[in-house]
Amino acid sequence: MDNVVARGTKVVVTGAAGFIGSHLVEALLDQGYTVIGIDRRSPRTDPIARLNLQEVVGHPGFSWAEADLMDADLDSLMEDVRYVFHLAAVPGVRSSWTGFPRYVTANILATERVLAACVRQEVPRLVYASSSSVYGVSGSPSRENEPTLPISPYGVSKLAGEQLCLAHAKRPGSRLSVVALRYFTVYGPRQRPDMAIGRVLAAALTGEQYTLFGDGTQRREFTYVGDVADATLAAATVDVPAAVVNVGGGSSVSMIDVIGMARQVTGQPVPLAAIPALAGDVPATAADLTLARALLGYRPDTDLHTGLARHAEWLRRLPPDQLSLYTPPRVAIEEVSACSS
């Protein structure tokens, strides 16, 4: 992206205190953007938000708004904004079966509020963080033009948000353009602590048991967070009125292979306990990246082994009190959800 174009351009990132959101904020600041971060989690009171944002708090180009999207003054926050990156959401497949009202509020109703504010403030571009969970079960690499048949309430909520975005962009006379990015299982430093790769690496480093759902043959297209940030930046400036684009890591890998790589990069065994697979957990995900290459110039730079090594090194550097944040109780585990904020 051209730093001359970026310099001083005002953007908003919702979900800025989250895993992907905090990496995106850093990338935008590096490009010279002026960034408004919005999140209901506060770095003053939430230890993970504090850890995620420690590199940007105090940066002259970064301003912080602690707010819930359902009651925030979005018109004021989006005044003179060029791009909105909407990453805020309630993530996770497992808890969506019992807590769906939270998903409806955060993933659908809040998305509509963000879109309406963009329209009123004449924001020209919104980039929406969608999920590979919208596809459901697929026997081959998923393409953006194939049917979407989510098999979890979480996937349903992300698809509804995506469709709302496209409806606003395609409305006659609309000045708002939208790119929805379907992220495939994002991992890397700061990954949400109930996600699979972080839990596997933490198990190797601490000796805590890793609970494997199913027999380990389920496959995921794991995508390094730096590649996701690059794709998200590219989506801001691509010249399209409305588009849906896959963002994946370039290959689909089994959990058995992930566990083997974790042993290699940490030099430690991964203590295991296996339990049956959970409802909503698809057998495999894989992304067709043809459109991402053509539209965004996207080519993932980080292979899984390299990304695991970076993730493990980040965990190693954490002091014990912070590492404990990434070794959650077994009752809190989510497994390999497709997207994480």
Side-chain angles (χ1 to χ4, degrees):
M1 189 176 295
D2 190 340
N3 271 357
V4 175
V5 174
R7 189 66 56 189
T9 300
K10 192 174 176 183
V11 305
V12 161
V13 178
T14 72
F19 163 43
I20 302 172
S22 62
H23 281 274
L24 179 61
V25 167
E26 288 183 6
L28 286 162
L29 291 171
D30 286 345
Q31 293 286 343
Y33 286 93
T34 297
V35 181
I36 301 169
I38 306 174
D39 206 299
R40 62 186 177 185
R41 296 164 291 189
S42 169
R44 293 182 294 103
T45 57
D46 185 300
I48 290 182
R50 186 181 310 119
L51 185 61
N52 287 350
L53 292 171
Q54 63 183 354
E55 298 298 323
V56 301
V57 171
H59 190 290
F62 181 65
S63 58
W64 175 251
E66 182 183 338
D68 189 312
L69 293 177
M70 288 303 296
D71 54 31
D73 181 1
L74 296 178
D75 286 272
S76 175
L77 290 167
M78 293 184 186
E79 188 176 355
D80 298 322
V81 162
R82 181 76 174 272
Y83 309 125
V84 170
F85 300 90
H86 181 39
L87 277 65
V90 174
V93 168
R94 183 175 181 241
S95 57
S96 71
W97 292 102
T98 55
F100 191 58
R102 291 192 306 123
Y103 288 75
V104 171
T105 299
N107 299 1
I108 302 174
L109 299 179
T111 296
E112 172 58 26
R113 267 199 109 231
V114 169
L115 287 162
C118 286
V119 170
R120 289 191 298 269
Q121 294 301 316
E122 298 185 348
V123 175
R125 167 61 51 85
L126 180 138
V127 179
Y128 174 73
S130 188
S131 166
S132 63
S133 289
V134 304
Y135 287 116
V137 178
S138 181
S140 59
S142 299
R143 303 189 69 173
E144 294 87 350
N145 60 356
E146 71 181 52
T148 46
L149 299 168
I151 64 169
S152 70
Y154 167 71
V156 169
S157 74
K158 293 304 291 183
L159 181 59
E162 183 182 295
Q163 290 295 312
L164 277 171
C165 291
L166 295 175
H168 274 273
K170 294 177 180 179
R171 182 178 179 180
S174 175
R175 297 183 181 182
L176 177 66
S177 61
V178 167
V179 178
L181 301 177
R182 291 175 178 169
Y183 297 151
F184 281 70
T185 313
V186 188
Y187 75 99
R190 305 179 213 149
Q191 187 188 42
R192 206 175 81 232
D194 55 349
M195 295 289 288
I197 283 186
R199 288 176 44 239
V200 169
L201 292 171
L205 294 171
T206 66
E208 292 288 331
Q209 192 174 75
Y210 170 71
T211 303
L212 176 67
F213 293 92
D215 60 6
T217 59
Q218 64 269 40
R219 305 179 69 85
R220 291 292 180 271
E221 176 127 353
F222 293 102
T223 314
Y224 189 68
V225 66
D227 291 329
V228 169
D230 289 344
T232 307
L233 281 167
T237 54
V238 64
D239 187 17
V240 291
V244 176
V245 187
N246 290 335
V247 178
S251 63
S252 188
V253 181
S254 74
M255 283 305 302
I256 292 173
D257 289 337
V258 168
I259 291 166
M261 287 187 201
R263 285 196 296 264
Q264 291 173 12
V265 301
T266 63
Q268 301 293 331
V270 180
L272 290 175
I275 64 174
L278 297 173
D281 185 19
V282 298
T285 64
D288 185 309
L289 298 179
T290 303
L291 183 59
R293 286 192 292 269
L295 198 61
L296 306 179
Y298 173 71
R299 286 173 174 77
D301 290 331
T302 308
D303 64 85
L304 184 57
H305 190 279
T306 301
L308 281 173
R310 292 176 183 170
H311 194 160
E313 182 58 28
W314 178 78
L315 287 168
R316 278 196 189 97
R317 292 198 304 266
L318 292 177
D321 61 323
Q322 292 181 344
L323 180 59
S324 68
L325 299 172
Y326 293 88
T327 53
R330 292 180 199 174
V331 294
I333 52 182
E334 172 59 38
E335 185 55 2
V336 282
S337 168
C339 177
S340 172
S341 68

